[in-house]
Amino acid sequence: MKVILTIAMIAICYGHIAYGIRAPTITIHPTDFINDRAISRDGSGDVVIPCLATGDGTITYSWRHNGAAIQLDNRIKLVDGNLTFTGVILNDAGTYICLAANQYGTSMSREATLQIRLLEYLGGVSETFTKDINDNARLRCQISPKNSPRPNRIYWTAADGNTVAESTHIALTVYDGDLVFIAGWPNNTGSYQCHTIFNSIDSNTGSSSEIRYTGNSQYVNFTTTTTTSVALKIEVGPNSTEAVLGQARVVLECVVTGYPLPSIRWQKKSGTLPINRYAFEKFNRHLVLKQIQSTDAGEYQCTAISGSSQVTASATIRVTTASQWTTAITDTNQPVDSDFLWPCSASGSNIKYRWYMNGQLISSNTKYVVNANGSLTIRKLASSDTKVYTCVAYNNISNIASSGYLNVTIAAPAFTLTPYTRTTLFQGQTSTIRCTVTGGPRPVMTYNKNGAFVDTLLYSKYTVQLNGNLIIHNVQPSDAGVYECTAINSHGSAKASGEAIVVIATTFTTPVATTSVRRPKSFSLSCTVQKATSLSVALYWQRNNVNVSTSRATVTTNGLTTTLTYANSTLADTGTFSCVAATDVPFVGYVPKSSSAVLTVNDVPDAPFNTGYSQLTESSVVISWQPGNPNNSPLLRFTILYQVNTITAWRIAEDYIPVSTTFRRVTLSPFNSYRFKVIAVNAVGTSPDSSILSFATAGAVPYFAPGEFRASGVPGDPTAINIRFTPLSREQQNDAGISYRLYFRSTVASSVWLFRDIDSSGSYRLTGLTTTTTYELQLQPRNNKGFGRERTAIITVTTGSLPPTTSPTNVQAYVIGTDSVKLTWTKIATPTTRATVVVGYRITFWTYDNSIANTTSYGDIDKATIVGLSPYFTYNFKLNAYTQGGDGPYSSTVSIYINNVVPDAVSNLRTSETVKSRVVVQWDAPTVASPITQYKINYTMLNSAGVAGTYTVNYTVGAETTFTLFNMNAGVYIIIVTAKNANGFGVPAQIRSPVNGLGPSAPTNFTVVTIRQTSIDFKWTAVTDATAEFIIQYRNATSQDVFLNASSNPLASSVRTYTVTGLTASTSYSCQVLAISNNLLSLPSNQLTVTTSSITAPQTPFYQEVWFIALVSATGVLLVFLILVFFVRGEKRKNKNGGRYFAHPENEKKPAVPPLPVDEPDEEVKRPPLPEENHQTEDNFRHSDVEVDSLDSMDQYADLPHLSKFNEDGSFINAYGDGGLRSKRNSTDTTSFMGNYSEARFDANASYHAGSYAPTLRSSYPGSPANTINPNQSAFS
């Protein structure tokens, strides 16, 4: 590029450019005298606060004390810029600033602090305390709060002069120096004195001396009375502290009193304690952090544990970084009339800024603005602004100062850097045409390309920098050409021109990838670049901006691809690796460009260390540990595992313990031997085991009732109940001698609890109970220590009733919350007898030990949610149905890990069919922490028996809550919708939905015609399809079982009535009819609920009524009386007639013996016909043929049709003369002979002939009064 300079006039008369001017610069800043370097006011020795500056000419110094100029005298002198004190006084304390001036201006130093020691004697108050043994006491050192700084050492002595040593029950507080008896013992009674030591350091020689103070005696008396328990109290909690980055040591203190003696544990609430940079001191009362880093900031908590009690206190550490320059100001030339932004910035905590001009504070105004980022803006520079400026950056622990000379220039334009004669522009990137110029006022820049004006304001293609450079964005080949830049101000102009070429940029086609590797594996990093063919590129590797040079590294380059390989990686190899491509640009040299990525070498964590246990009781223990090195992969959690007794498997006591935790109280069971360990987990894997902790617990009564307590009625024994349970495991027995007590009572009012002691077999039959009685039952364990704390929940069983014989099926478990699981199942089939109707279901669940399983009872449902579970444990579930007769068998066991939450069931599931055969399924989304990503829609049609077929599966595209099913046949469908999130599919929800769809229309007007005891007549109307056949279905109205088909084959299309048979009397049925055509079912018709007729309840015959028996008895007495009267009269007549019987006159004609009926030949006696199946008797006798009032003799009976005949002596003809017939009659099975007749007995009113009774069969069956003449009965009353 050629340079053309045109000077309009000589600029010397208007101003100058400040090259070579040296304003004062302070090279040695004043130092602080604070804390251990604080000065004692003893009036001896000198104190020197240093200050030194460089610059042109003579430099003069001055000092300010607390912002005011110091007046020098014989005690305070200025020696070569240093401020010297001959003996300090209290008023000398404060801040000091050094000012250095020469002909160009005044520079300022940082602000130094001088602290004067203020030491007061200890307080003179003597105190006396009287305390019980194991109580606490605090003796005060009485250090004055005015002391500055605090004592370097504090200690106490007893009356014998010996120093009191700290122990588990004696503490010395750090700041106040008080002596605290955490739990006093009798030998602690006595007098004590506090002592303080202050170190004094000579600021000139560095030698130190001690200043000692001793306080008055304090007395404490621990009496002979002993207290066994003292509540925990935080006597001195940790104080929030501000630490400086890099500080060697920070101490947090936690002194807690109480008895039993507390143990103290520390943790950082938002992370782990700093690995290898912390320690516990003074019996864990002090947490010491070392070499403070910024990551140490946060909240720290101490926890004191005593028995089952604990208290906590916390404090915050704020890490403050001292101020350090990131951009210090330096001398600068700026053109007149321009605005100038002077950068000034520092790193550190809460940095603030002040600006000074020649030692005077600058306040923001329209001319000068101190910006929040530390920079200074000066508006419209003038010659009077040429001065020395100082920027001070400060926070509450430090301050730094930087000075620079601002020269306001008045001059013609001049190029400060040699322009390039050829500039290389890289295609697609941002490149610079260098035209760096100076002058005052600031030159105006114009640019030409190939002789044409470049409008830098019109296009965002270009940016003009204040120094004159032209930035070209998104370089294209058309940007090549000859560029000319012109700088003009009121004092002259300057031009420069040169050629610009465009080449392909050096870029990374394969950048370095972020990589993690587990030690000691080898790793390789690669990158590939592309470049312009005219340029050369050098490829090399850097780690943390330093060229890789280790002997374990190998670099191979193949063309424009380079690969770095490390062998046997170590944790220390972690860092930022850069592949550097340095392009050799003409006139510029090598221009580096890099691709960087972080490589992490990691490993599983080191094992937790310092494991221990404390506060061991029969039921709990505190396990403590410290985290091992995470090995470049942050810790994720801790896990505590244990073994108990002879069980070799390691169980989880607690999982997913936060990494900030260093202890946990773990629940134990009495009378067991335990082994504990702790492991840590990071993203790489699980640490090795910590050291093993072993201990045993003392015995106690059982804590828990046995799990899986169930009871049921006994088939065939209505006075017994079977008991079954899972006996307590060895771990839960809590002592020797385990047995159980079974409590039972009837639910009858005022019943008392009875009990029986049973063994550990897990089963027992409770006998001797009252039949058809409901009993409540409970079970309680006991051992040698006594009865257990708990009984099982009460369950009830009714004797004589039976439990279910089947178990629920299809048991499924879903984690729907961090502590909840939803169970679904298929209910058992509806029992057929009232005694086994399902009352509900019992769900049992447990983690490791089902002997203490939890049991929850529910009603007759098919889903339930179990809450209050512990996350990160595997739970086992099983359930059974129960009835009045007790518990049925268990289902299969399902197990699920409580971690990843899936969606609960959708709600408001519904369907619509606005267009025939097109079904729109809609639902409301469930609430779940992890967003729903998709839904699954399963559907199937029920066949004619109501049985589901094969499911068709569909999925939504996203989380939409509507789905349309097309071309659906008519029928009833089961539609299931299941939501899915990142953890998987959740709880399904289903709906049974009728679809009009493709197929015949549903029959209508389905009605009942006739109802009988075992059958029902129906009729219906067909709607449209004349070819459709029909299926009638029914089921028990109280059942949810599938419908049964009333016929084995569909009914013909012409049929509109049908009788359903084989039903049970007095039973309610749900009934419906469907049409079927071309193997397509219609929807069901209207559904009917019909109850079959009942069998009429038996009635008591009138002859069994009391009134009738009384009437018969009275009649019998009257009859006997009449017989006696008749007998007496007969004797008198016989005496008159001379014979025993009345004799007819011989001429009187005897009545003829009537012949046998036609249908009753004399050689055979007909058996009366059997009753009809419906047990209704038929009366074929025409009562109108008989005048009842005239039936008063056997002769008249003999003339009646269809009746057996009588002999003249009143006996049946051929009835009793045949012994074979009599024996046949006597051997007749009256039960079968009479159908449902319940009894046959001999009647007292039977006729007596020839020494034999004529038995009369009596029926209690309704409708058969004893005095009714009935040809279908074998005898008459």
Side-chain angles (χ1 to χ4, degrees):
M1 181 180 282
K2 295 185 293 183
V3 179
I4 304 173
L5 297 177
T6 302
I7 300 179
M9 60 180 67
I10 302 298
I12 296 175
C13 60
Y14 293 98
H16 63 272
I17 298 177
Y19 297 117
I21 294 176
R22 294 183 62 207
T25 300
I26 296 178
T27 56
I28 298 178
H29 286 265
T31 56
D32 295 323
F33 293 87
I34 58 175
N35 298 327
D36 288 344
R37 299 186 72 238
I39 306 301
S40 298
R41 50 176 183 146
D42 55 5
S44 63
D46 297 336
V47 175
V48 177
I49 304 177
C51 181
L52 180 64
T54 61
D56 290 344
T58 301
I59 297 177
T60 59
Y61 296 90
S62 62
W63 285 79
R64 293 175 185 165
H65 177 219
N66 294 335
I70 294 178
Q71 300 299 320
L72 302 177
D73 54 26
N74 290 332
R75 193 177 64 85
I76 304 175
K77 299 177 182 179
L78 192 60
V79 179
D80 297 330
N82 299 329
L83 188 64
T84 302
F85 295 82
T86 302
V88 296
I89 62 176
L90 186 59
N91 288 338
D92 291 334
T95 59
Y96 290 83
I97 295 175
C98 174
L99 296 91
N102 68 2
Q103 58 183 329
Y104 300 112
T106 302
S107 296
M108 292 178 57
S109 71
R110 68 175 295 273
E111 186 177 78
T113 300
L114 175 63
Q115 182 181 20
I116 306 299
R117 287 185 179 274
L118 176 62
L119 308 180
E120 293 192 356
Y121 293 101
L122 298 178
V125 178
S126 295
E127 296 179 310
T128 300
F129 301 92
T130 300
K131 297 284 185 176
D132 292 339
I133 297 172
N134 295 331
D135 205 349
N136 53 79
R138 181 174 180 175
L139 308 185
R140 297 186 301 123
C141 187
Q142 302 178 37
I143 299 173
S144 172
K146 297 180 181 179
N147 278 342
S148 177
R150 302 297 293 173
N152 296 94
R153 182 187 171 201
I154 305 171
Y155 67 97
W156 285 73
T157 57
D160 58 6
N162 291 326
T163 300
V164 178
E166 294 191 63
S167 65
T168 55
H169 71 287
I170 298 177
L172 182 63
T173 64
V174 171
Y175 187 80
D176 294 323
D178 295 344
L179 183 65
V180 179
F181 293 93
I182 296 170
W185 297 344
N187 60 358
N188 297 138
T189 297
S191 297
Y192 298 88
Q193 283 183 295
C194 180
H195 306 266
T196 59
I197 299 176
F198 297 87
N199 294 332
S200 178
I201 299 176
D202 189 305
S203 62
N204 296 318
T205 64
S207 61
S208 64
S209 59
E210 292 184 347
I211 301 173
R212 295 174 176 263
Y213 295 107
T214 299
N216 287 349
S217 294
Q218 314 291 326
Y219 184 81
V220 62
N221 176 28
F222 291 99
T223 66
T224 57
T225 304
T226 301
T227 182
T228 58
S229 177
V230 179
L232 290 176
K233 176 187 175 184
I234 297 178
E235 196 70 39
V236 178
N239 289 321
S240 294
T241 303
E242 189 160 6
V244 179
L245 183 67
Q247 185 173 330
R249 181 181 172 92
V250 171
V251 178
L252 295 178
E253 180 179 38
C254 187
V255 179
V256 183
T257 59
Y259 190 82
L261 286 172
S263 57
I264 296 179
R265 300 289 179 261
W266 288 91
Q267 65 186 54
K268 187 180 182 184
K269 296 184 71 173
S270 59
T272 60
L273 295 174
I275 303 299
N276 302 325
R277 290 190 298 105
Y278 70 92
F280 301 122
E281 298 179 355
K282 303 297 180 71
F283 304 93
N284 279 13
R285 290 190 287 266
H286 289 184
L287 170 63
V288 180
L289 305 182
K290 305 172 183 178
Q291 303 302 321
I292 298 299
Q293 298 180 7
S294 58
T295 54
D296 295 335
E299 185 176 2
Y300 293 79
Q301 178 176 283
C302 75
T303 302
I305 306 170
S306 176
S308 60
S309 300
Q310 68 181 48
V311 293
T312 61
S314 59
T316 300
I317 291 181
R318 294 180 297 275
V319 178
T320 302
T321 305
S323 49
Q324 291 182 322
W325 288 120
T326 54
T327 304
I329 66 172
T330 57
D331 297 346
T332 182
N333 296 305
Q334 294 298 324
V336 70
D337 296 333
S338 62
D339 292 342
F340 175 45
L341 178 67
W342 203 341
C344 177
S345 63
S347 63
S349 303
N350 302 317
I351 298 296
K352 298 179 181 178
Y353 299 91
R354 290 193 298 263
W355 279 81
Y356 296 84
M357 181 173 58
N358 281 343
Q360 300 301 313
L361 181 65
I362 297 176
S363 299
S364 292
N365 52 42
T366 56
K367 174 73 173 179
Y368 303 99
V369 178
V370 179
N371 301 302
N373 63 1
S375 62
L376 174 67
T377 299
I378 305 175
R379 309 286 187 193
K380 200 169 180 60
L381 288 172
S383 297
S384 58
D385 293 322
T386 299
K387 290 180 177 68
V388 174
Y389 291 79
T390 301
C391 176
V392 176
Y394 65 97
N395 58 18
N396 58 342
I397 63 168
S398 66
N399 67 91
I400 52 178
S402 174
S403 297
Y405 179 65
L406 171 60
N407 179 46
V408 179
T409 62
I410 302 173
F415 290 101
T416 58
L417 293 175
T418 303
Y420 298 136
T421 57
R422 173 177 286 185
T423 299
T424 301
L425 308 179
F426 292 100
Q427 184 174 343
Q429 298 188 353
T430 296
S431 297
T432 302
I433 302 292
R434 192 172 76 168
C435 291
T436 308
V437 70
T438 186
R442 188 184 305 280
V444 175
M445 301 299 298
T446 59
Y447 305 89
N448 290 334
K449 173 192 166 190
N450 296 331
F453 175 70
V454 176
D455 189 347
T456 58
L457 300 178
L458 184 60
Y459 303 105
S460 59
K461 174 82 173 176
Y462 306 100
T463 299
V464 178
Q465 294 183 310
L466 292 177
N467 64 1
N469 292 340
L470 178 65
I471 306 298
I472 304 176
H473 302 283
N474 189 22
V475 172
Q476 298 300 317
S478 58
D479 292 321
V482 177
Y483 286 82
E484 181 183 69
C485 53
T486 302
I488 302 173
N489 69 6
S490 57
H491 302 291
S493 65
K495 290 184 179 181
S497 64
E499 182 184 6
I501 63 172
V502 177
V503 298
I504 295 175
T506 300
T507 57
F508 289 90
T509 56
T510 304
V512 182
T514 299
T515 305
S516 294
V517 62
R518 182 174 177 180
R519 69 174 177 186
K521 293 181 179 180
S522 300
F523 65 86
S524 295
L525 301 173
S526 296
C527 75
T528 302
V529 300
Q530 68 175 7
K531 68 175 186 66
T533 56
S534 60
L535 302 179
S536 61
V537 173
L539 300 174
Y540 59 95
W541 288 88
Q542 290 184 331
R543 176 181 171 275
N544 297 337
N545 298 320
V546 177
N547 290 351
V548 173
S549 60
T550 177
S551 60
R552 293 185 294 108
T554 303
V555 177
T556 58
T557 301
N558 182 12
L560 295 178
T561 298
T562 179
T563 301
L564 171 67
T565 301
Y566 263 64
N568 301 320
S569 63
T570 66
L571 297 177
D573 292 332
T574 296
T576 300
F577 283 78
S578 301
C579 174
V580 182
T583 305
D584 187 7
V585 180
F587 300 102
V588 177
Y590 282 95
V591 177
K593 188 175 184 180
S594 63
S595 171
S596 301
V598 174
L599 177 131
T600 303
V601 180
N602 52 31
D603 205 345
V604 298
D606 291 345
F609 64 97
N610 282 350
T611 51
Y613 70 90
S614 61
Q615 309 297 324
L616 175 63
T617 68
E618 64 187 27
S619 60
S620 68
V621 69
V622 175
I623 304 294
S624 59
W625 66 91
Q626 295 303 320
N629 196 315
N631 295 330
N632 290 340
S633 179
L635 293 180
L636 300 177
R637 67 181 187 272
F638 293 108
T639 302
I640 301 176
L641 302 117
Y642 73 97
Q643 292 175 326
V644 59
N645 301 325
T646 59
I647 298 175
T648 58
W650 285 96
R651 297 177 176 178
I652 296 175
E654 189 162 352
D655 203 355
Y656 284 82
I657 301 172
V659 296
S660 61
T661 303
T662 58
F663 68 93
R664 261 298 192 269
R665 184 186 294 276
V666 178
T667 300
L668 307 174
S669 292
F671 197 57
N672 289 292
S673 296
Y674 286 96
R675 301 174 75 236
F676 274 83
K677 66 181 180 181
V678 183
I679 58 174
V681 180
N682 65 8
V684 182
T686 301
S687 74
D689 296 341
S690 70
S691 58
I692 303 297
L693 304 174
S694 299
F695 49 82
T697 53
V701 299
Y703 288 168
F704 301 103
E708 303 181 1
F709 176 54
R710 301 292 190 269
S712 55
V714 179
D717 188 350
T719 64
I721 295 175
N722 280 336
I723 308 296
R724 69 181 191 271
F725 63 95
T726 301
L728 292 179
S729 65
R730 166 65 183 82
E731 182 182 352
Q732 301 299 333
Q733 292 176 10
N734 292 6
D735 209 290
I738 192 72
S739 63
Y740 302 89
R741 175 162 288 183
L742 176 66
Y743 295 89
F744 62 98
R745 68 178 178 185
S746 76
T747 55
V748 177
S750 73
S751 294
V752 297
W753 284 104
L754 305 175
F755 67 86
R756 295 188 188 171
D757 292 325
I758 61 179
D759 59 24
S760 300
S761 63
S763 62
Y764 179 76
R765 176 166 291 184
L766 180 62
T767 59
L769 305 177
T770 304
T771 187
T772 63
T773 300
T774 301
Y775 284 86
E776 295 179 332
L777 303 109
Q778 278 186 303
L779 193 65
Q780 182 180 23
R782 67 175 177 179
N783 60 20
N784 290 345
K785 296 289 185 181
F787 282 97
R789 294 178 178 177
E790 295 181 353
R791 295 184 185 182
T792 60
I794 293 175
I795 58 176
T796 60
V797 177
T798 301
T799 54
S801 298
L802 297 180
T805 57
T806 59
S807 61
T809 57
N810 300 324
V811 182
Q812 301 291 329
Y814 306 89
V815 179
I816 62 169
T818 55
D819 68 343
S820 56
V821 166
K822 174 165 280 189
L823 292 180
T824 64
W825 62 89
T826 300
K827 299 196 294 184
I828 67 172
T830 303
T832 56
T833 62
R834 178 180 176 278
T836 55
V837 171
V838 172
V839 174
Y841 293 85
R842 301 195 213 277
I843 297 177
T844 294
F845 58 96
W846 70 94
T847 53
Y848 292 114
D849 193 346
N850 67 330
S851 75
I852 56 169
N854 295 281
T855 296
T856 306
S857 298
Y858 297 89
D860 188 12
I861 58 177
D862 60 2
K863 63 179 68 67
T865 300
I866 311 297
V867 299
L869 306 178
S870 298
Y872 315 118
F873 277 86
T874 297
Y875 278 84
N876 307 285
F877 299 87
K878 63 181 179 181
L879 65 155
N880 67 278
Y882 68 96
T883 65
Q884 292 181 351
D887 295 282
Y890 287 115
S891 69
S892 58
T893 300
V894 295
S895 302
I896 195 165
Y897 183 65
I898 312 299
N899 187 11
N900 297 322
V901 177
V902 299
D904 200 347
V906 303
S907 60
N908 195 23
L909 180 59
R910 56 203 184 274
T911 62
S912 59
E913 190 182 8
T914 55
V915 177
K916 191 172 183 179
S917 80
R918 183 181 301 174
V919 177
V920 178
V921 185
Q922 295 176 291
W923 59 90
D924 294 340
T927 301
V928 65
S930 179
I932 302 297
T933 58
Q934 193 181 41
Y935 292 91
K936 178 170 63 176
I937 299 92
N938 293 8
Y939 70 91
T940 186
M941 186 171 69
L942 302 179
N943 62 18
S944 59
V947 178
T950 302
Y951 280 89
T952 301
V953 182
N954 294 277
Y955 297 93
T956 61
V957 176
E960 60 269 22
T961 57
T962 300
F963 193 85
T964 302
L965 304 173
F966 296 92
N967 299 321
M968 303 291 285
N969 293 330
V972 177
Y973 287 80
I974 294 178
I975 300 174
I976 303 174
V977 176
T978 311
K980 179 184 180 183
N981 64 4
N983 297 323
F985 284 101
V987 183
Q990 76 173 36
I991 186 174
R992 184 171 293 204
S993 176
V995 175
N996 292 315
L998 305 175
S1001 299
T1004 60
N1005 299 326
F1006 185 53
T1007 55
V1008 174
V1009 177
T1010 305
I1011 301 175
R1012 305 181 188 86
Q1013 291 179 347
T1014 60
S1015 62
I1016 304 173
D1017 295 342
F1018 294 98
K1019 68 177 180 178
W1020 62 91
T1021 301
V1023 178
T1024 54
D1025 191 348
T1027 65
E1029 298 175 308
F1030 302 96
I1031 299 174
I1032 294 183
Q1033 297 180 325
Y1034 69 95
R1035 70 180 179 191
N1036 192 301
T1038 63
S1039 170
Q1040 294 300 314
D1041 294 341
V1042 299
F1043 279 91
L1044 301 176
N1045 292 339
S1047 59
S1048 58
N1049 295 307
L1051 305 177
S1053 58
S1054 59
V1055 174
R1056 297 293 184 273
T1057 61
Y1058 188 74
T1059 301
V1060 178
T1061 60
L1063 305 179
T1064 303
S1066 302
T1067 303
S1068 294
Y1069 290 91
S1070 295
C1071 307
Q1072 61 187 24
V1073 61
L1074 299 86
I1076 180 172
S1077 177
N1078 297 321
N1079 292 322
L1080 296 178
L1081 287 171
S1082 73
L1083 291 176
S1085 68
N1086 56 298
Q1087 193 174 103
L1088 301 177
T1089 300
V1090 188
T1091 303
T1092 53
S1093 300
S1094 60
I1095 299 174
T1096 305
Q1099 297 179 357
T1100 303
F1102 73 90
Y1103 53 78
Q1104 294 181 5
E1105 298 288 348
V1106 175
W1107 65 269
F1108 182 78
I1109 295 174
L1111 177 62
V1112 171
S1113 299
T1115 304
V1117 172
L1118 179 61
L1119 182 61
V1120 170
F1121 176 77
L1122 293 177
I1123 291 174
L1124 291 175
V1125 172
F1126 179 79
F1127 179 77
V1128 170
R1129 290 182 176 181
E1131 286 294 324
K1132 291 179 178 180
R1133 183 178 300 178
K1134 181 179 65 173
N1135 293 334
K1136 291 180 178 181
N1137 297 328
R1140 180 176 181 182
Y1141 298 103
F1142 174 78
H1144 289 279
E1146 293 209 6
N1147 59 356
E1148 184 177 348
K1149 185 178 180 180
K1150 296 182 178 178
V1153 176
L1156 288 172
V1158 177
D1159 57 347
E1160 293 189 19
D1162 55 358
E1163 69 271 14
E1164 179 181 0
V1165 177
K1166 290 281 187 180
R1167 176 179 175 177
L1170 291 174
E1172 293 292 334
E1173 182 179 353
N1174 62 5
H1175 303 157
Q1176 302 279 347
T1177 58
E1178 183 177 356
D1179 189 357
N1180 293 324
F1181 177 66
R1182 291 181 298 171
H1183 292 271
S1184 59
D1185 294 343
V1186 179
E1187 185 178 355
V1188 176
D1189 293 337
S1190 66
L1191 295 178
D1192 54 1
S1193 71
M1194 292 183 180
D1195 292 334
Q1196 290 169 321
Y1197 275 106
D1199 294 331
L1200 294 177
H1202 304 296
L1203 294 182
S1204 300
K1205 310 303 179 180
F1206 294 91
N1207 292 320
E1208 62 179 339
D1209 61 357
S1211 65
F1212 284 106
I1213 298 174
N1214 205 26
Y1216 299 103
D1218 186 1
L1221 177 60
R1222 182 165 57 249
S1223 63
K1224 180 178 180 181
R1225 288 283 181 90
N1226 290 340
S1227 64
T1228 301
D1229 182 348
T1230 58
T1231 301
S1232 61
F1233 182 74
M1234 299 302 294
N1236 272 357
Y1237 290 10
S1238 61
E1239 55 188 31
R1241 55 172 65 94
F1242 289 103
D1243 193 294
N1245 295 325
S1247 59
Y1248 178 80
H1249 298 287
S1252 299
Y1253 281 105
T1256 302
L1257 289 174
R1258 294 203 173 193
S1259 171
S1260 61
Y1261 191 83
S1264 301
N1267 60 353
T1268 300
I1269 301 171
N1270 191 329
N1272 290 330
Q1273 297 183 8
S1274 60
F1276 301 93
S1277 300

